[in-house]
Amino acid sequence: MDFQDFKDRIPKLKKIVLPGERAHHKLMPGNRSKAMENLDVDSLQPNRAGVMAVFYPDIFDRTHLVLILRKTYKGVHSNQIGFPGGRVEPEDENLEQTALRETEEEVGIPRSKIKVIKELTRLYIPPSNFWVQPYLGLLEETPTLTPQVSEVERILEVDLDHFLDHSNFVKQELSTSYSNKMIVPAFKLNEQIVWGATGMMLSEIREIFRESF
């Protein structure tokens, strides 16, 4: 999609009512539904995080989204695809500022240049005990993306039309640190399988985009 066309649709995008859990459920791993049954999240004192889905023009003025492949480490999200973002820090005024700060740190986009379009539906992640607040962001120039060496293995630039193509919705068998050989709904983007919390947030983005586009 041409970036100017994308920008022209933002006023309508802002007015769309979020589908929330209905959209999340379409990409929810089977074991996640059981884990969420009758769960009192607040009693678990979850950590809080903010993430940013940034859309921007490439050098050909086509609309793209930035995702990251995280480093391999001893943790439940090791070597997974996600949005730039992370845990709230004491200096953050709010979760929007957390998402902007982490995006600058992880992929090198200055926080001052990102215009926040919309707050999305927050999502609880049982394996890591996090409430995650996602945001939609707009960058009006082609960025020079620089991965944070300690956190990011690789940056993925996903074409918007590729993301919206229904053929990229797949079922995949995966094994993780907490579950073996489970079949999960996922997106196949840039030859990478994107599932779990990131897939669930992308599902909401995809629904509101398809409604506004």
Side-chain angles (χ1 to χ4, degrees):
M1 178 180 292
D2 178 81
F3 188 66
Q4 185 59 53
D5 190 16
F6 177 77
K7 286 172 57 179
D8 290 343
R9 297 166 191 259
I10 288 175
K12 182 178 180 181
L13 184 65
K14 289 180 177 180
K15 296 177 182 178
I16 290 175
V17 176
L18 294 173
E21 291 183 3
R22 175 175 59 81
H24 289 167
H25 188 76
K26 294 179 179 180
L27 267 290
M28 182 179 289
N31 61 347
R32 179 71 53 84
S33 180
K34 183 176 292 186
M36 292 296 291
E37 287 180 3
N38 304 315
L39 186 64
D40 180 4
V41 175
D42 290 332
S43 69
L44 300 175
Q45 298 183 321
N47 298 299
R48 295 183 303 145
V51 301
M52 186 67 65
V54 183
F55 291 85
Y56 58 90
D58 70 0
I59 59 173
F60 303 107
D61 212 36
R62 300 287 298 174
T63 306
H64 278 66
L65 162 70
V66 62
L67 295 172
I68 60 173
L69 173 63
R70 297 203 173 276
K71 291 278 191 179
T72 299
Y73 65 98
K74 292 183 179 179
V76 296
H77 302 302
S78 171
N79 200 232
Q80 290 185 8
I81 304 294
F83 294 106
R87 183 194 301 263
V88 66
E89 297 292 348
E91 68 266 26
D92 299 331
E93 294 181 9
N94 50 48
L95 284 170
E96 181 178 308
Q97 292 301 312
T98 299
L100 289 167
R101 174 184 55 75
E102 287 280 349
T103 299
E104 181 171 0
E105 291 175 0
E106 292 191 334
V107 299
I109 301 175
R111 67 194 81 179
S112 61
K113 293 188 176 182
I114 298 174
K115 179 181 179 181
V116 178
I117 301 171
K118 194 176 184 75
E119 180 180 286
L120 300 173
T121 304
R122 73 172 180 168
L123 180 66
Y124 178 66
I125 307 178
S128 55
N129 192 31
F130 263 92
W131 269 123
V132 178
Q133 178 61 63
Y135 298 88
L136 280 181
L138 181 74
L139 177 67
E140 297 204 34
E141 61 188 58
T142 304
T144 299
L145 298 172
T146 306
Q148 184 180 21
V149 175
S150 60
E151 299 284 341
V152 179
E153 182 66 31
R154 184 154 61 91
I155 293 174
L156 284 72
E157 298 186 74
V158 180
D159 182 273
L160 177 57
D161 290 333
H162 175 63
F163 165 56
L164 294 176
D165 186 340
H166 186 71
S167 67
N168 291 312
F169 176 76
V170 299
K171 294 289 183 72
Q172 183 77 18
E173 182 179 271
L174 295 171
S175 294
T176 71
S177 60
Y178 53 88
S179 184
N180 289 321
K181 294 185 177 180
M182 58 179 178
I183 303 296
V184 300
F187 292 103
K188 189 173 184 180
L189 303 174
N190 292 28
E191 301 303 317
Q192 297 287 326
I193 298 300
V194 187
W195 66 287
T198 303
M200 292 165 72
M201 289 182 275
L202 281 171
S203 179
E204 181 170 62
I205 293 171
R206 187 175 186 273
E207 286 211 12
I208 63 175
F209 277 14
R210 291 179 69 86
E211 184 175 342
S212 61
F213 295 175

